[in-house]
PDB file of all heavy atoms in Angstrom:
ATOM      1  N   PHE A 792     154.163  72.300 146.552  1.00 98.00           N
ATOM      2  CA  PHE A 792     152.883  72.339 145.855  1.00 98.00           C
ATOM      3  C   PHE A 792     152.941  72.917 144.439  1.00 98.00           C
ATOM      4  O   PHE A 792     152.241  72.415 143.554  1.00 98.00           O
ATOM      5  CB  PHE A 792     151.847  73.043 146.721  1.00 98.00           C
ATOM      6  CG  PHE A 792     151.511  72.236 147.952  1.00 98.00           C
ATOM      7  CD1 PHE A 792     151.950  72.633 149.204  1.00 98.00           C
ATOM      8  CD2 PHE A 792     150.814  71.046 147.839  1.00 98.00           C
ATOM      9  CE1 PHE A 792     151.681  71.867 150.329  1.00 98.00           C
ATOM     10  CE2 PHE A 792     150.540  70.269 148.964  1.00 98.00           C
ATOM     11  CZ  PHE A 792     150.967  70.681 150.204  1.00 98.00           C
ATOM     12  N   LEU A 795     154.273  69.840 142.541  1.00 98.00           N
ATOM     13  CA  LEU A 795     153.281  68.771 142.439  1.00 98.00           C
ATOM     14  C   LEU A 795     152.167  69.149 141.463  1.00 98.00           C
ATOM     15  O   LEU A 795     151.682  68.302 140.705  1.00 98.00           O
ATOM     16  CB  LEU A 795     152.699  68.473 143.819  1.00 98.00           C
ATOM     17  CG  LEU A 795     153.659  67.883 144.853  1.00 98.00           C
ATOM     18  CD1 LEU A 795     153.002  67.847 146.223  1.00 98.00           C
ATOM     19  CD2 LEU A 795     154.125  66.488 144.447  1.00 98.00           C
ATOM     20  N   SER A 796     151.767  70.404 141.475  1.00 98.00           N
ATOM     21  CA  SER A 796     150.720  70.854 140.556  1.00 98.00           C
ATOM     22  C   SER A 796     151.197  70.781 139.109  1.00 98.00           C
ATOM     23  O   SER A 796     150.455  70.349 138.218  1.00 98.00           O
ATOM     24  CB  SER A 796     150.301  72.284 140.901  1.00 98.00           C
ATOM     25  OG  SER A 796     149.718  72.348 142.183  1.00 98.00           O
ATOM     26  N   TYR A 821     146.392  76.836 155.411  1.00 98.00           N
ATOM     27  CA  TYR A 821     146.881  77.218 154.080  1.00 98.00           C
ATOM     28  C   TYR A 821     147.303  75.974 153.298  1.00 98.00           C
ATOM     29  O   TYR A 821     147.090  75.867 152.087  1.00 98.00           O
ATOM     30  CB  TYR A 821     148.058  78.186 154.233  1.00 98.00           C
ATOM     31  CG  TYR A 821     148.332  79.017 153.009  1.00 98.00           C
ATOM     32  CD1 TYR A 821     147.877  80.335 152.917  1.00 98.00           C
ATOM     33  CD2 TYR A 821     149.041  78.509 151.934  1.00 98.00           C
ATOM     34  CE1 TYR A 821     148.115  81.096 151.798  1.00 98.00           C
ATOM     35  CE2 TYR A 821     149.297  79.262 150.802  1.00 98.00           C
ATOM     36  CZ  TYR A 821     148.828  80.568 150.741  1.00 98.00           C
ATOM     37  OH  TYR A 821     149.065  81.316 149.618  1.00 98.00           O
ATOM     38  N   MET A 822     147.872  75.007 154.007  1.00 98.00           N
ATOM     39  CA  MET A 822     148.317  73.766 153.377  1.00 98.00           C
ATOM     40  C   MET A 822     147.131  72.958 152.841  1.00 98.00           C
ATOM     41  O   MET A 822     147.241  72.305 151.796  1.00 98.00           O
ATOM     42  CB  MET A 822     149.122  72.951 154.382  1.00 98.00           C
ATOM     43  CG  MET A 822     149.786  71.720 153.822  1.00 98.00           C
ATOM     44  SD  MET A 822     150.860  71.011 155.096  1.00 98.00           S
ATOM     45  CE  MET A 822     151.144  69.384 154.402  1.00 98.00           C
ATOM     46  N   VAL A 823     146.007  72.999 153.540  1.00 98.00           N
ATOM     47  CA  VAL A 823     144.797  72.322 153.048  1.00 98.00           C
ATOM     48  C   VAL A 823     144.402  72.896 151.687  1.00 98.00           C
ATOM     49  O   VAL A 823     144.046  72.151 150.761  1.00 98.00           O
ATOM     50  CB  VAL A 823     143.648  72.469 154.061  1.00 98.00           C
ATOM     51  CG1 VAL A 823     142.313  72.070 153.437  1.00 98.00           C
ATOM     52  CG2 VAL A 823     143.915  71.614 155.293  1.00 98.00           C
ATOM     53  N   GLU A 824     144.456  74.215 151.546  1.00 98.00           N
ATOM     54  CA  GLU A 824     144.102  74.835 150.270  1.00 98.00           C
ATOM     55  C   GLU A 824     145.083  74.440 149.166  1.00 98.00           C
ATOM     56  O   GLU A 824     144.680  74.077 148.052  1.00 98.00           O
ATOM     57  CB  GLU A 824     144.077  76.351 150.429  1.00 98.00           C
ATOM     58  CG  GLU A 824     142.995  76.854 151.371  1.00 98.00           C
ATOM     59  CD  GLU A 824     142.985  78.357 151.517  1.00 98.00           C
ATOM     60  OE1 GLU A 824     143.997  79.013 151.157  1.00 98.00           O
ATOM     61  OE2 GLU A 824     141.973  78.881 152.003  1.00 98.00           O
ATOM     62  N   ASP A 825     146.388  74.506 149.471  1.00 98.00           N
ATOM     63  CA  ASP A 825     147.398  74.138 148.474  1.00 98.00           C
ATOM     64  C   ASP A 825     147.276  72.674 148.062  1.00 98.00           C
ATOM     65  O   ASP A 825     147.351  72.336 146.874  1.00 98.00           O
ATOM     66  CB  ASP A 825     148.796  74.380 149.039  1.00 98.00           C
ATOM     67  CG  ASP A 825     149.212  75.841 148.979  1.00 98.00           C
ATOM     68  OD1 ASP A 825     148.510  76.640 148.330  1.00 98.00           O
ATOM     69  OD2 ASP A 825     150.244  76.193 149.582  1.00 98.00           O
ATOM     70  N   ALA A 826     147.116  71.800 149.057  1.00 98.00           N
ATOM     71  CA  ALA A 826     147.026  70.376 148.769  1.00 98.00           C
ATOM     72  C   ALA A 826     145.752  70.061 147.978  1.00 98.00           C
ATOM     73  O   ALA A 826     145.768  69.245 147.051  1.00 98.00           O
ATOM     74  CB  ALA A 826     147.054  69.575 150.061  1.00 98.00           C
ATOM     75  N   GLY A 827     144.651  70.700 148.346  1.00 98.00           N
ATOM     76  CA  GLY A 827     143.411  70.480 147.615  1.00 98.00           C
ATOM     77  C   GLY A 827     143.535  70.883 146.159  1.00 98.00           C
ATOM     78  O   GLY A 827     143.080  70.169 145.255  1.00 98.00           O
ATOM     79  N   ALA A 828     144.173  72.025 145.902  1.00 98.00           N
ATOM     80  CA  ALA A 828     144.358  72.476 144.526  1.00 98.00           C
ATOM     81  C   ALA A 828     145.236  71.509 143.735  1.00 98.00           C
ATOM     82  O   ALA A 828     144.919  71.132 142.601  1.00 98.00           O
ATOM     83  CB  ALA A 828     144.964  73.880 144.520  1.00 98.00           C
ATOM     84  N   ALA A 829     146.357  71.088 144.343  1.00 98.00           N
ATOM     85  CA  ALA A 829     147.266  70.158 143.654  1.00 98.00           C
ATOM     86  C   ALA A 829     146.576  68.830 143.364  1.00 98.00           C
ATOM     87  O   ALA A 829     146.783  68.221 142.305  1.00 98.00           O
ATOM     88  CB  ALA A 829     148.526  69.938 144.488  1.00 98.00           C
ATOM     89  N   ASP A 830     145.753  68.373 144.299  1.00 98.00           N
ATOM     90  CA  ASP A 830     145.061  67.094 144.097  1.00 98.00           C
ATOM     91  C   ASP A 830     144.017  67.200 142.995  1.00 98.00           C
ATOM     92  O   ASP A 830     143.866  66.279 142.186  1.00 98.00           O
ATOM     93  CB  ASP A 830     144.417  66.641 145.405  1.00 98.00           C
ATOM     94  CG  ASP A 830     144.004  65.180 145.369  1.00 98.00           C
ATOM     95  OD1 ASP A 830     144.816  64.347 144.913  1.00 98.00           O
ATOM     96  OD2 ASP A 830     142.881  64.859 145.795  1.00 98.00           O
ATOM     97  N   LEU A 831     143.295  68.306 142.940  1.00 98.00           N
ATOM     98  CA  LEU A 831     142.297  68.484 141.887  1.00 98.00           C
ATOM     99  C   LEU A 831     142.954  68.604 140.516  1.00 98.00           C
ATOM    100  O   LEU A 831     142.455  68.061 139.528  1.00 98.00           O
ATOM    101  CB  LEU A 831     141.444  69.721 142.186  1.00 98.00           C
ATOM    102  CG  LEU A 831     140.508  69.592 143.391  1.00 98.00           C
ATOM    103  CD1 LEU A 831     139.914  70.939 143.750  1.00 98.00           C
ATOM    104  CD2 LEU A 831     139.404  68.573 143.116  1.00 98.00           C
ATOM    105  N   ILE A 832     144.090  69.306 140.446  1.00 98.00           N
ATOM    106  CA  ILE A 832     144.804  69.415 139.176  1.00 98.00           C
ATOM    107  C   ILE A 832     145.242  68.043 138.680  1.00 98.00           C
ATOM    108  O   ILE A 832     145.189  67.745 137.482  1.00 98.00           O
ATOM    109  CB  ILE A 832     146.012  70.365 139.333  1.00 98.00           C
ATOM    110  CG1 ILE A 832     145.530  71.812 139.479  1.00 98.00           C
ATOM    111  CG2 ILE A 832     146.974  70.235 138.144  1.00 98.00           C
ATOM    112  CD1 ILE A 832     146.609  72.786 139.887  1.00 98.00           C
ATOM    113  N   SER A 833     145.656  67.170 139.599  1.00 98.00           N
ATOM    114  CA  SER A 833     146.109  65.825 139.216  1.00 98.00           C
ATOM    115  C   SER A 833     144.969  64.821 139.138  1.00 98.00           C
ATOM    116  O   SER A 833     145.204  63.644 138.882  1.00 98.00           O
ATOM    117  CB  SER A 833     147.152  65.313 140.221  1.00 98.00           C
ATOM    118  OG  SER A 833     146.553  65.037 141.483  1.00 98.00           O
ATOM    119  N   GLU A 834     143.753  65.273 139.386  1.00 98.00           N
ATOM    120  CA  GLU A 834     142.566  64.409 139.358  1.00 98.00           C
ATOM    121  C   GLU A 834     142.678  63.259 140.354  1.00 98.00           C
ATOM    122  O   GLU A 834     142.425  62.106 140.035  1.00 98.00           O
ATOM    123  CB  GLU A 834     142.300  63.896 137.938  1.00 98.00           C
ATOM    124  CG  GLU A 834     142.022  65.018 136.958  1.00 98.00           C
ATOM    125  CD  GLU A 834     141.700  64.527 135.554  1.00 98.00           C
ATOM    126  OE1 GLU A 834     142.528  63.769 134.972  1.00 98.00           O
ATOM    127  OE2 GLU A 834     140.620  64.884 135.044  1.00 98.00           O
ATOM    128  N   GLY A 835     143.083  63.621 141.592  1.00 98.00           N
ATOM    129  CA  GLY A 835     143.073  62.655 142.687  1.00 98.00           C
ATOM    130  C   GLY A 835     144.255  61.730 142.762  1.00 98.00           C
ATOM    131  O   GLY A 835     144.128  60.623 143.292  1.00 98.00           O
ATOM    132  N   LEU A 837     147.294  62.656 144.253  1.00 98.00           N
ATOM    133  CA  LEU A 837     148.230  63.104 145.282  1.00 98.00           C
ATOM    134  C   LEU A 837     148.327  62.082 146.412  1.00 98.00           C
ATOM    135  O   LEU A 837     147.321  61.590 146.918  1.00 98.00           O
ATOM    136  CB  LEU A 837     147.756  64.442 145.844  1.00 98.00           C
ATOM    137  CG  LEU A 837     148.775  65.268 146.643  1.00 98.00           C
ATOM    138  CD1 LEU A 837     149.967  65.632 145.776  1.00 98.00           C
ATOM    139  CD2 LEU A 837     148.115  66.520 147.191  1.00 98.00           C
ATOM    140  N   GLU A 905     138.376  75.964 150.875  1.00 97.00           N
ATOM    141  CA  GLU A 905     138.259  75.602 149.469  1.00 97.00           C
ATOM    142  C   GLU A 905     139.591  75.839 148.771  1.00 97.00           C
ATOM    143  O   GLU A 905     140.356  76.715 149.189  1.00 97.00           O
ATOM    144  CB  GLU A 905     137.158  76.435 148.793  1.00 97.00           C
ATOM    145  CG  GLU A 905     135.774  76.294 149.377  1.00 97.00           C
ATOM    146  CD  GLU A 905     135.114  74.938 149.102  1.00 97.00           C
ATOM    147  OE1 GLU A 905     135.694  74.131 148.337  1.00 97.00           O
ATOM    148  OE2 GLU A 905     134.025  74.704 149.652  1.00 97.00           O
ATOM    149  N   PRO A 906     139.904  75.102 147.718  1.00 98.00           N
ATOM    150  CA  PRO A 906     139.090  74.033 147.133  1.00 98.00           C
ATOM    151  C   PRO A 906     139.173  72.744 147.953  1.00 98.00           C
ATOM    152  O   PRO A 906     140.244  72.395 148.468  1.00 98.00           O
ATOM    153  CB  PRO A 906     139.706  73.831 145.757  1.00 98.00           C
ATOM    154  CG  PRO A 906     141.148  74.193 145.932  1.00 98.00           C
ATOM    155  CD  PRO A 906     141.156  75.302 146.958  1.00 98.00           C
ATOM    156  N   TYR A 907     138.042  72.082 148.060  1.00 98.00           N
ATOM    157  CA  TYR A 907     137.975  70.805 148.759  1.00 98.00           C
ATOM    158  C   TYR A 907     138.154  69.676 147.756  1.00 98.00           C
ATOM    159  O   TYR A 907     137.508  69.660 146.707  1.00 98.00           O
ATOM    160  CB  TYR A 907     136.622  70.670 149.463  1.00 98.00           C
ATOM    161  CG  TYR A 907     136.345  69.284 150.004  1.00 98.00           C
ATOM    162  CD1 TYR A 907     137.095  68.768 151.051  1.00 98.00           C
ATOM    163  CD2 TYR A 907     135.340  68.494 149.447  1.00 98.00           C
ATOM    164  CE1 TYR A 907     136.848  67.498 151.549  1.00 98.00           C
ATOM    165  CE2 TYR A 907     135.082  67.225 149.943  1.00 98.00           C
ATOM    166  CZ  TYR A 907     135.837  66.728 150.988  1.00 98.00           C
ATOM    167  OH  TYR A 907     135.598  65.472 151.474  1.00 98.00           O
ATOM    168  N   SER A 908     139.039  68.740 148.077  1.00 98.00           N
ATOM    169  CA  SER A 908     139.267  67.583 147.205  1.00 98.00           C
ATOM    170  C   SER A 908     138.847  66.321 147.944  1.00 98.00           C
ATOM    171  O   SER A 908     139.505  65.888 148.895  1.00 98.00           O
ATOM    172  CB  SER A 908     140.739  67.489 146.795  1.00 98.00           C
ATOM    173  OG  SER A 908     140.924  66.460 145.855  1.00 98.00           O
ATOM    174  N   LEU A 911     141.127  63.080 149.543  1.00 98.00           N
ATOM    175  CA  LEU A 911     142.533  63.380 149.839  1.00 98.00           C
ATOM    176  C   LEU A 911     142.892  62.999 151.276  1.00 98.00           C
ATOM    177  O   LEU A 911     144.009  62.551 151.538  1.00 98.00           O
ATOM    178  CB  LEU A 911     142.822  64.862 149.586  1.00 98.00           C
ATOM    179  CG  LEU A 911     144.244  65.333 149.898  1.00 98.00           C
ATOM    180  CD1 LEU A 911     145.284  64.528 149.130  1.00 98.00           C
ATOM    181  CD2 LEU A 911     144.380  66.820 149.602  1.00 98.00           C
TER     182      LEU A 911
END
Side-chain angles (χ1 to χ4, degrees):
F792 292 108
L795 294 171
S796 296
Y821 201 100
M822 187 173 165
V823 167
E824 295 180 343
D825 280 350
D830 195 46
L831 291 169
I832 289 169
S833 70
E834 298 182 305
L837 196 61
E905 300 289 353
Y907 169 67
S908 186
L911 178 56

